[in-house]
Amino acid sequence: MTAETYEPGRARPVPQPGLMMDFPLTVHHIFRRMQGIHGARKVVTLVDPETGAVTERDFRDVAARAGRLAHALERLGVRPGDRVASLAWNNAQHLEMYLAVMCMGAVLHTMNLRLHGDQLAYTVEHAGDSVVVVESSLAGQFAEVLPQLPGVRHVVVIAEPGEECPDLPGALDFEALLAQERPDFAWPEIDERSAAALCYTSGTTGDPKGVMYSHRSIVLHALAMSGADVYGITSRDRVLALVPLFHAMGWGLPFVCGLVGSDIVMPGRHLKPAPLARLIEEQRATWSAGVPTLWLDLLHHLDSIPPADRTPDLSCLQTILCGGTAVPESLVREYDERFGAEMIEGWGMTEIFPGATVERVDPGDFAVGVGARRKSAGRISPLYELRLVDGDGVVLPHDGVAVGDVEVRGPSVASGYFDAPAATAAAIHDGWLRTGDVGTIDGSGHLRITDRAKDVIKSGGEWISSQDLEVELVAHPAVREAAVIGVADPRWGERPLAFVVLGAPVTETELREYLSARVARWWVPEHFRIVEEIARTTTGKYDKKVLRSWAGANRV
Amino acid sequence: MTAETYEPGRARPVPQPGLMMDFPLTVHHIFRRMQGIHGARKVVTLVDPETGAVTERDFRDVAARAGRLAHALERLGVRPGDRVASLAWNNAQHLEMYLAVMCMGAVLHTMNLRLHGDQLAYTVEHAGDSVVVVESSLAGQFAEVLPQLPGVRHVVVIAEPGEECPDLPGALDFEALLAQERPDFAWPEIDERSAAALCYTSGTTGDPKGVMYSHRSIVLHALAMSGADVYGITSRDRVLALVPLFHAMGWGLPFVCGLVGSDIVMPGRHLKPAPLARLIEEQRATWSAGVPTLWLDLLHHLDSIPPADRTPDLSCLQTILCGGTAVPESLVREYDERFGAEMIEGWGMTEIFPGATVERVDPGDFAVGVGARRKSAGRISPLYELRLVDGDGVVLPHDGVAVGDVEVRGPSVASGYFDAPAATAAAIHDGWLRTGDVGTIDGSGHLRITDRAKDVIKSGGEWISSQDLEVELVAHPAVREAAVIGVADPRWGERPLAFVVLGAPVTETELREYLSARVARWWVPEHFRIVEEIARTTTGKYDKKVLRSWAGANRV
């Protein structure tokens, strides 16, 4: 069975058909739960970081406003299959766009606001977006690229009441459009394989590539993540959605919360530690998700509060899903000890949604658990299948030892990229998606990522894991951040170079001695570079391209 | 959107196809998790109620044995689409049949061993079963009907090593068949709409009707039930599967446990309270499911143990899913107070799987929760949609007040009955399945069943809920069981008649006074009948047909 492939649209025999309803797995089902039985649940958006003021509306209002928005978009010419783009932070209006665009049968292109202008323009052009909805705070950024986008017929601006938007003259006002329409929309019945959303990967090489999520993939991802062993979100949770709604469907949180009926708290564009700490405390957030840096920054903020001042109480936090990059052990331990919050680690990517692996550990197992799981990006979630292959495409055992390229398949895994046949051909291998990650899988399905394929350091014919070195370095009390790259070496081919941000003084010799006790001697870098800051990509990962080009320019 | 219908096979437009893998939702995915990452989890079967002896094998062994079984069945001529029947209690072999038959593309007909001989024969004949696998303890029962079944080509007996089976001469031995085969089977890739299993409803009227579950419906049900707010089973649970594997796929437990990787403990045919109590304690079962009677009997057993003897410690139980009939408040309270176990209530039926509604309450909310939820059969689960209609098919509001016929739809809901067009036509209404239950739904999706449609008592033009009367009667300390039916009345049309089993002495007058304080005066029955036992159906519900025919014969 392992070699079978799933080709889209491929017919298979139905020896004896089951007699169950042909009920489509579309976002409409989630919409109806939000409109109906979960109608009283809240969407809270932080609007003023100074005062902590929020706006609040219930799911029923959000659904009604989505109906108005669908009418407005239809009036602007949007038809099923058309692409509509959003350029926005996390707020109720963005959630309304999710529901309206997808449920009317159109496709929501969630633009990555951290892309450079040219890349942003490229994605709008490539997606064929006809209507773009922009948040006022991002209007200036969008105005710069709009002249390059002849295909955009309408621009809509989400603004505060009375707020002008001088950057985009002639743009339509989101609230004014909604006010003109009726809340009840005749949502069309659509096939579950229809596209619902389009998200471009930030792409470390070449042009951004578009992942076209189907309704089916979104609903199945939300269902799988609602599992007690996965996200574990319940209707009693208040979920703080820190991960951007433009990253892989906000890690699926809008759909999981809509399905199970948990409140959603959104930070707007205010991701600084101080307003976040206040938001968590005041909104009694119980569950949250975000990249490790954000949680690290929050701790540093709390530590920087003078003893005389009041420190926010974050003990309401019960679960924090961390992902995007390896989670330092110290971070897990601090959140457990200080707030009683369980930090769970997940792994995923735009092409496969987040949470393809998730690691939960019993609070009681903490002492044992952390050591064991620090090395694991999580356990394979329902509806995902993983395998390892070597350079020749030979499948390797799941023994926790064999290191190989990680490939994945499942109903929420991309079968290719939108309108990009060459990228698609490179990504799909024998019906599986190449993730570009390298690692091991043990017999119980724990994935351990040792590196991005392109970040692996090959030294004297053997592999050195840059990620393992980074994790060990960050465990040192004086080291705040660490990024390791391979640099050319005449004798060994490559040798590791470590960039470190310090929190306290330490010498290179001390760091080398520290590492020697923890990794193979030949892994220990000869060279360190102490820096103030390490460059990051738009998704918050270390930007090793920048580090490599610095190393190349400086002939390190 | 609410009026839309989902007709099997109906083509819908795909305005813009998503680009996600066409990965089928089949039992194979669960099988591969059991064989792979959950391979070390256990299936435990109680074999000797006297000594408490169990057999134990891990999921990997179960998967390997399923491979051998598939080879054996293929050798016996079973092909994709063919029906293979099981007549067995809950044990590892039955689970192996589940996996082998479904994953080879054939259809498992789980025979209800509590059906009468003629009905049993009818289902085998109607299903077209070519191979029947029978547990030795049920061989005598099956031998009586076998002569009526010319279509059955092979009978296989599950027996203990060395055990003879004189009732079925010429039958093949399950273990001998497996021993001849290799464990690796080339499982075919099949369409997710293919039938996987066939289960006949016990049918209070007419012939049993067959529900043909598709792979898709089974996988989606397991996914939905794995939700933290639904069954909430995790990989750290040990699940005691008391509900028969022949009832609605064992409430989906084999699939949920296979998906999330929890151990499965099975009682074999030993459902008496004493061995069960021992099994729970010795196997440290954390999660279980079964009808209320069984949990009631277990309590009575514990209470009957002399003070000098040791009482089993059932505090390992954390969650008990109860369903099939209304759960008495006293039962919920006792399991909470004595064992700290949360008893959650669910509602479902063969046609829609169990758990279509499930009610979980925070342990902290107990005092408030019980009162509120005693009236609720649960909250609508993900992937289910419910509505209420009146006698004219008009949709009623979900306000917790309007009483109507409950209709349901979803991907795990039957679209009809196997080879029974008239029954199908009667069951499906405008794309929804008529459940035959009558009740209310509140704005938050809590279903309250007031009656089976056919059990409703119409008195003076108004409805009396037999179930409400039963729940109130059972809450009386002296009443152990209560069943209420309507009997003809010249003045009012119908009046309620209550059958009660007493645990302590009480007079009819006292019961009437007790009820008068709790229900409308005109609901209070004029007549009671104190009995030793109330007839039950094969699924453990009160058999009101029997009660009505007694009342008719006695001109009550």
Side-chain angles (χ1 to χ4, degrees):
Chain A
M1 196 79 186
T2 47
E4 75 200 331
T5 58
Y6 300 109
E7 295 160 18
R10 176 174 161 195
R12 291 183 211 92
V14 183
Q16 165 73 50
L19 294 170
M20 304 303 280
M21 286 186 186
D22 183 24
F23 183 97
L25 302 174
T26 65
V27 174
H28 302 82
H29 174 67
I30 296 172
F31 180 88
R32 287 191 291 264
R33 286 179 76 84
M34 293 180 73
Q35 185 181 40
I37 70 171
H38 301 319
R41 304 321 302 249
K42 304 290 184 213
V43 178
V44 177
T45 307
L46 176 61
V47 290
D48 187 339
E50 298 304 316
T51 63
V54 298
T55 59
E56 187 175 295
R57 55 185 71 137
D58 62 27
F59 281 10
R60 195 167 289 120
D61 289 342
V62 167
R65 285 170 52 91
R68 292 176 189 273
L69 179 56
H71 277 298
L73 291 171
E74 197 174 63
R75 201 179 291 270
L76 295 177
V78 174
R79 296 289 171 267
D82 288 355
R83 269 77 69 202
V84 175
S86 64
L87 186 65
W89 296 96
N90 288 13
N91 50 41
Q93 294 93 329
H94 207 165
L95 187 63
E96 288 154 10
M97 286 203 66
Y98 262 59
L99 297 174
V101 175
M102 297 182 198
C103 290
M104 72 188 291
V107 181
L108 181 69
H109 167 204
T110 51
M111 290 163 71
N112 183 341
L113 55 86
R114 296 211 182 89
L115 287 183
H116 298 291
D118 285 350
Q119 284 193 310
L120 208 61
Y122 172 86
T123 63
V124 174
E125 192 68 23
H126 186 269
D129 299 325
S130 57
V131 174
V132 179
V133 180
V134 184
E135 197 177 310
S136 58
S137 63
L138 302 165
Q141 183 179 344
F142 186 68
E144 288 179 23
V145 300
L146 185 57
Q148 304 169 47
L149 300 169
V152 174
R153 295 200 314 270
H154 299 283
V155 177
V156 178
V157 172
I158 299 172
E160 294 305 305
E163 186 185 9
E164 295 288 317
C165 190
D167 295 317
L168 290 169
L172 301 163
D173 179 69
F174 189 87
E175 292 300 328
L177 287 180
L178 264 59
Q180 291 166 17
E181 307 290 345
R182 287 175 298 110
D184 54 320
F185 187 85
W187 305 106
E189 183 183 335
I190 59 173
D191 189 289
E192 67 186 37
R193 292 165 302 167
S194 305
L198 178 60
C199 189
Y200 283 82
T201 62
S202 37
T204 46
T205 53
D207 290 323
K209 292 168 287 192
V211 175
M212 189 71 98
Y213 302 112
S214 63
H215 279 263
R216 172 178 160 110
S217 69
I218 288 172
V219 173
L220 288 175
H221 177 258
L223 266 175
M225 294 306 112
S226 74
D229 256 350
V230 195
Y231 287 4
I233 294 173
T234 76
S235 61
R236 295 177 295 284
D237 276 312
R238 288 177 70 83
V239 173
L240 175 63
L242 296 180
V243 290
L245 288 180
F246 56 81
H247 274 172
M249 299 283 94
W251 294 14
L253 290 177
F255 304 109
V256 177
C257 295
L259 195 67
V260 309
S262 56
D263 293 331
I264 308 176
V265 181
M266 300 208 279
R269 60 179 181 270
H270 313 295
L271 291 165
K272 290 263 187 315
L276 272 194
R278 179 175 180 165
L279 187 65
I280 291 169
E281 183 182 34
E282 291 188 351
Q283 292 297 325
R284 304 176 314 285
T286 60
W287 200 104
S288 190
V291 291
T293 324
L294 193 148
W295 299 108
L296 212 52
D297 290 349
L298 191 59
L299 280 187
H300 294 153
H301 162 70
L302 296 180
D303 290 342
S304 72
I305 295 174
D309 291 359
R310 187 180 163 279
T311 304
D313 173 12
L314 307 190
S315 62
C316 52
L317 282 174
Q318 291 164 12
T319 310
I320 297 170
L321 174 65
C322 242
T325 171
V327 182
E329 176 178 351
S330 54
L331 192 64
V332 178
R333 193 176 293 276
E334 285 233 47
Y335 273 87
D336 176 75
E337 289 173 359
R338 291 170 67 158
F339 313 114
E342 182 191 12
M343 194 166 263
I344 60 180
E345 187 163 351
W347 169 84
M349 48 199 287
T350 303
E351 291 86 340
I352 69 176
F353 288 88
T357 68
V358 170
E359 193 64 81
R360 293 186 78 88
V361 176
D362 254 337
D365 292 345
F366 189 78
V368 196
V370 170
R373 76 176 172 162
R374 200 203 55 201
K375 300 280 189 187
S376 164
R379 198 157 183 227
I380 304 170
S381 300
L383 295 187
Y384 287 91
E385 298 188 1
L386 269 64
R387 70 175 187 182
L388 299 173
V389 296
D390 69 11
D392 300 321
V394 175
V395 176
L396 301 174
H398 293 189
D399 56 9
V401 176
V403 176
D405 292 305
V406 180
E407 298 189 341
V408 61
R409 69 176 182 186
S412 300
V413 174
S415 61
Y417 296 103
F418 179 55
D419 198 11
T424 296
I428 303 297
H429 169 224
D430 184 31
W432 296 71
L433 180 89
R434 302 179 203 268
T435 65
D437 276 330
V438 171
T440 64
I441 301 174
D442 74 11
S444 303
H446 295 90
L447 170 71
R448 187 186 156 219
I449 302 287
T450 54
D451 249 316
R452 286 295 294 170
K454 60 183 190 316
D455 291 342
V456 163
I457 301 164
K458 197 110 181 238
S459 188
E462 299 287 339
W463 281 1
I464 294 175
S465 163
S466 65
Q467 187 173 298
D468 279 5
L469 284 173
E470 290 161 7
V471 166
E472 294 295 349
L473 279 169
V474 168
H476 187 288
V479 175
R480 184 170 287 177
E481 297 181 23
V484 177
I485 60 168
V487 290
D489 182 273
R491 180 163 178 201
W492 302 107
E494 278 190 321
R495 288 300 298 156
L497 165 66
F499 293 78
V500 288
V501 176
L502 298 183
V506 67
T507 68
E508 287 194 26
T509 310
E510 284 168 331
L511 287 179
R512 264 194 293 275
E513 280 168 11
Y514 176 85
L515 282 181
S516 299
R518 285 163 178 80
V519 300
R521 176 169 290 274
W522 61 276
W523 278 33
V524 179
E526 285 76 21
H527 300 290
F528 290 80
R529 183 161 166 76
I530 314 293
V531 293
E532 289 296 309
E533 193 182 15
I534 298 174
R536 290 184 182 269
T537 67
T538 58
T539 56
K541 299 174 189 175
Y542 295 131
D543 193 339
K544 296 198 174 176
K545 263 192 310 182
V546 172
L547 302 183
R548 284 194 197 95
S549 86
W550 179 89
N554 290 275
R555 298 171 190 275
V556 176
Chain B
M1 195 80 184
T2 47
E4 76 200 330
T5 59
Y6 300 111
E7 294 160 18
R10 175 172 161 196
R12 291 182 211 95
V14 183
Q16 165 74 50
L19 295 169
M20 304 303 279
M21 287 186 185
D22 184 23
F23 183 97
L25 302 174
T26 64
V27 174
H28 302 81
H29 173 68
I30 296 172
F31 180 89
R32 287 192 291 264
R33 286 179 76 84
M34 294 180 73
Q35 184 182 40
I37 70 172
H38 300 320
R41 304 321 302 252
K42 305 290 184 214
V43 177
V44 177
T45 307
L46 176 61
V47 289
D48 187 339
E50 297 304 316
T51 64
V54 298
T55 59
E56 187 175 295
R57 55 185 70 135
D58 61 27
F59 281 11
R60 197 167 288 118
D61 289 341
V62 167
R65 286 169 53 89
R68 293 176 188 273
L69 179 57
H71 277 298
L73 291 171
E74 197 175 63
R75 202 179 291 270
L76 294 178
V78 174
R79 297 288 171 268
D82 288 355
R83 268 77 70 202
V84 175
S86 64
L87 186 64
W89 295 97
N90 288 13
N91 50 41
Q93 294 93 330
H94 206 164
L95 187 62
E96 288 154 10
M97 286 204 65
Y98 263 59
L99 297 174
V101 175
M102 296 182 198
C103 290
M104 73 190 289
V107 182
L108 181 70
H109 166 204
T110 51
M111 290 162 70
N112 183 341
L113 55 85
R114 296 211 182 88
L115 287 183
H116 298 291
D118 284 350
Q119 284 195 311
L120 208 61
Y122 172 86
T123 64
V124 174
E125 191 69 22
H126 186 268
D129 300 326
S130 57
V131 175
V132 179
V133 180
V134 183
E135 197 178 311
S136 58
S137 64
L138 302 165
Q141 183 180 345
F142 186 66
E144 287 178 24
V145 300
L146 184 57
Q148 306 170 44
L149 300 169
V152 174
R153 295 201 312 272
H154 299 284
V155 176
V156 179
V157 172
I158 299 171
E160 295 305 305
E163 186 186 7
E164 296 287 319
C165 191
D167 295 318
L168 289 169
L172 301 163
D173 179 70
F174 189 87
E175 292 300 328
L177 287 179
L178 263 60
Q180 292 166 17
E181 307 289 347
R182 287 175 297 109
D184 54 319
F185 186 86
W187 305 106
E189 182 184 334
I190 59 173
D191 189 289
E192 67 186 36
R193 292 164 302 166
S194 304
L198 178 59
C199 189
Y200 282 81
T201 62
S202 37
T204 46
T205 53
D207 291 321
K209 291 168 288 189
V211 175
M212 190 70 98
Y213 300 113
S214 64
H215 280 263
R216 173 179 161 109
S217 69
I218 288 172
V219 172
L220 289 175
H221 177 258
L223 267 175
M225 293 306 113
S226 74
D229 256 350
V230 194
Y231 287 4
I233 294 174
T234 76
S235 61
R236 296 177 296 283
D237 276 312
R238 288 177 69 82
V239 173
L240 174 63
L242 296 181
V243 289
L245 289 181
F246 56 81
H247 273 172
M249 300 281 93
W251 293 14
L253 289 177
F255 304 109
V256 177
C257 295
L259 195 68
V260 308
S262 55
D263 295 330
I264 308 176
V265 181
M266 298 208 279
R269 60 179 181 270
H270 313 295
L271 291 165
K272 291 262 189 316
L276 272 193
R278 181 175 178 165
L279 187 67
I280 290 169
E281 182 182 35
E282 290 188 351
Q283 292 296 327
R284 303 179 312 285
T286 60
W287 200 103
S288 191
V291 290
T293 325
L294 193 148
W295 300 108
L296 212 53
D297 289 349
L298 191 61
L299 279 187
H300 293 153
H301 162 70
L302 296 181
D303 291 342
S304 71
I305 295 174
D309 292 359
R310 185 178 166 280
T311 304
D313 174 11
L314 307 190
S315 62
C316 52
L317 280 174
Q318 292 165 13
T319 310
I320 297 170
L321 175 64
C322 243
T325 170
V327 182
E329 176 178 351
S330 54
L331 192 63
V332 178
R333 194 177 292 276
E334 284 233 45
Y335 273 88
D336 176 76
E337 288 173 359
R338 291 170 68 158
F339 313 113
E342 183 191 10
M343 193 166 264
I344 60 180
E345 187 163 351
W347 169 83
M349 48 199 288
T350 303
E351 291 86 340
I352 69 174
F353 288 88
T357 68
V358 170
E359 193 65 80
R360 293 186 78 87
V361 175
D362 255 335
D365 292 344
F366 190 78
V368 195
V370 171
R373 76 176 173 162
R374 200 201 54 200
K375 301 281 189 188
S376 163
R379 200 159 181 225
I380 303 170
S381 299
L383 296 188
Y384 287 91
E385 298 188 1
L386 268 64
R387 70 175 188 181
L388 299 174
V389 296
D390 69 11
D392 299 322
V394 174
V395 176
L396 301 174
H398 292 190
D399 57 8
V401 175
V403 177
D405 292 304
V406 180
E407 298 189 341
V408 60
R409 69 177 182 185
S412 300
V413 173
S415 61
Y417 296 103
F418 180 54
D419 199 11
T424 297
I428 303 297
H429 170 223
D430 183 29
W432 297 70
L433 180 89
R434 302 179 203 267
T435 65
D437 278 330
V438 171
T440 64
I441 300 174
D442 74 11
S444 302
H446 295 89
L447 171 70
R448 187 187 154 217
I449 302 288
T450 53
D451 249 314
R452 289 293 295 169
K454 61 184 188 318
D455 292 341
V456 163
I457 300 164
K458 197 111 182 237
S459 189
E462 299 287 338
W463 282 1
I464 295 176
S465 163
S466 66
Q467 186 171 298
D468 279 6
L469 284 173
E470 289 160 9
V471 166
E472 294 296 348
L473 279 169
V474 167
H476 188 288
V479 175
R480 184 171 288 179
E481 297 180 24
V484 176
I485 61 168
V487 290
D489 183 272
R491 180 162 178 202
W492 302 107
E494 279 189 321
R495 288 300 299 156
L497 165 67
F499 293 78
V500 288
V501 177
L502 298 183
V506 66
T507 67
E508 286 194 26
T509 309
E510 283 167 330
L511 287 178
R512 264 193 293 273
E513 279 167 11
Y514 176 85
L515 282 181
S516 299
R518 285 163 179 79
V519 299
R521 176 167 289 275
W522 59 277
W523 279 34
V524 179
E526 284 75 21
H527 300 290
F528 290 81
R529 183 163 164 75
I530 314 294
V531 292
E532 289 296 309
E533 196 182 13
I534 298 174
R536 288 182 183 270
T537 68
T538 59
T539 55
K541 299 173 189 173
Y542 295 130
D543 193 338
K544 297 199 174 176
K545 262 193 311 182
V546 171
L547 301 183
R548 283 194 199 97
S549 84
W550 178 90
N554 291 275
R555 297 172 193 275
V556 176

